[in-house]
Amino acid sequence: MTRPVLAAVDASVRSRAAAHWAAQEAGRRGAPLRLLHAWPYLGRKANDLVKAEDLESGARSMLGDVAKELAAAYPGLEVTGELVPDAAIDGLTAAAEQGQLLVIGTRGLGGFRGLLVGSVSLGVAGRSAAPVVLVREGRPEPQSHEPEVTVGLDALEPDGAVMEFAFQEAQLRDARVRVVHGWELPPVYGYAGWIPVETEQQELGALAVGMVAEAVAPWRQKYPRTLVLEDVRTGGGAAALVEASEQSDLVVVGRRRRTLGLGSKLGSVAHAVIHHAQAPVAVVPHD
């Protein structure tokens, strides 16, 4: 049985945009779409102010409306809804284990005006065992007409799970893959600072290009029909990926799994890309 694509929804416009993105993704994968609505009050007993059955009825009605909208927009797609009577981060993180990936809007009903990414979206992306795609509402189409998936590469420690996800997404979309590696000049301490001469900058740049080519070579061999662009830039990985996102359909970044529940689960690059990328961002957990 094909595992579903999951989409977190609430009554916000942003979650509707994420649900539509998830529906398209499910269609590409030939998978069913399961809509999830997580709210801890759904699991509480009735009191003088709130009746549990009223909460559940309203939530089911909202799920039904979104499901009907998607079924009409994407004929043939199997769409179901599920209530998750738990705190959003905990409930969605647990539910994500049942699916191929979880799609969520960058911000739901909570938060304040001007907030780019909500705490729930960040929390789920930082904890989910499955890949999480964060979709921002109202993103204009890229100027380039060539479908493109961008993936961030750490040339010193390339990870197979992140690259595999990016290349599979590219195949589903008949897209090219842009492998982005951002590097920075090493810090050197001195009386007046140090600026490397042009030849040294060229040598460091050539070293970075060579490392990227070596890391990408196995993926070129595994996916010979996929066009691969090796994009090496100065200025650091986050800035390079954000800039590349302007022409991309999807940006893929990695997140290390952590055995301890302490501290942030998202690295600085992933965190910056989630906040500032122009395209949807897929966060892929890896060892």
Side-chain angles (χ1 to χ4, degrees), residues 207-219:
L207 177 62
V209 169
M211 293 173 64
V212 170
E214 182 178 356
V216 171
W219 300 100

Side-chain angles (χ1 to χ4, degrees), residues 4 7 20 27 39 46 55 69 77 96 122 143 165 169 238 249 259 261-262:
H20 277 271
W39 198 25
L55 292 175
E69 177 183 323
L77 178 65
L122 287 174
Q143 295 180 2
F165 184 92
E169 280 293 321
D249 297 282
T259 56
L262 301 176

Side-chain angles (χ1 to χ4, degrees), residues 24-45:
Q24 295 174 31
E25 182 70 11
R28 295 187 192 100
R29 293 170 176 249
L33 174 65
R34 183 183 301 169
L35 306 176
L36 304 174
H37 177 60
W39 198 25
Y41 293 101
L42 294 170
R44 296 188 178 183
K45 296 181 179 179

Side-chain angles (χ1 to χ4, degrees), residues 31-281:
L33 174 65
R34 183 183 301 169
L35 306 176
L36 304 174
H37 177 60
W39 198 25
Y41 293 101
L42 294 170
R44 296 188 178 183
K45 296 181 179 179
N47 56 43
D48 293 337
L49 299 177
V50 178
K51 293 182 178 180
E53 57 268 24
D54 291 341
L55 292 175
E56 182 174 340
S57 176
R60 290 192 182 280
S61 178
M62 182 273 295
L63 279 176
D65 289 344
V66 178
K68 289 178 182 178
E69 177 183 323
L70 296 175
Y74 309 96
L77 178 65
E78 178 185 342
V79 186
T80 58
E82 178 182 340
L83 298 180
V84 182
D86 200 351
I89 295 177
D90 293 337
L92 294 175
T93 299
E97 298 180 5
Q98 306 170 16
Q100 299 185 37
L101 76 161
L102 171 64
V103 183
I104 188 170
T106 51
R107 186 165 72 88
L109 291 173
F112 52 84
R113 187 178 299 275
L115 185 68
L116 292 178
V117 183
S119 59
V120 171
S121 302
L122 287 174
V124 174
R127 289 175 48 183
S128 173
V132 174
V133 180
L134 297 98
V135 178
R136 182 172 288 118
E137 174 229 353
R139 187 246 180 165
E141 289 297 321
Q143 295 180 2
S144 172
H145 296 291
E146 182 74 23
E148 181 173 292
V149 173
T150 296
V151 58
L153 173 70
D154 183 347
L156 294 175
E157 296 182 281
D159 184 82
V162 178
M163 296 292 284
E164 183 72 41
F165 184 92
F167 274 84
Q168 288 182 353
E169 280 293 321
Q171 277 201 329
L172 291 172
R173 300 162 179 274
D174 193 22
R176 65 190 183 190
V177 174
R178 180 178 297 275
V179 181
V180 175
H181 173 69
W183 65 281
E184 296 181 290
L185 293 171
V188 176
Y189 300 95
Y191 173 71
W194 174 77
I195 300 177
V197 298
E198 184 176 352
T199 55
E200 290 176 319
Q201 293 186 49
Q202 292 175 348
E203 290 175 0
L204 291 171
L207 177 62
V209 169
M211 293 173 64
V212 170
E214 182 178 356
V216 171
W219 300 100
R220 289 184 179 275
Q221 184 176 5
K222 185 174 182 178
Y223 295 91
R225 296 184 179 179
T226 299
L227 174 63
V228 182
L229 306 177
E230 297 173 13
D231 191 338
V232 181
R233 310 185 186 198
T234 57
L241 285 168
V242 169
E243 184 177 354
S245 73
E246 296 178 3
Q247 302 300 324
S248 296
D249 297 282
L250 179 67
V251 178
V252 182
V253 295
R255 171 186 65 80
R256 288 192 178 277
R257 293 188 178 93
R258 300 192 180 183
T259 56
L260 298 178
L262 301 176
S264 173
K265 307 298 190 300
L266 293 170
S268 59
V269 171
H271 196 275
V273 172
I274 287 172
H275 276 84
H276 300 293
Q278 296 300 307
V281 178

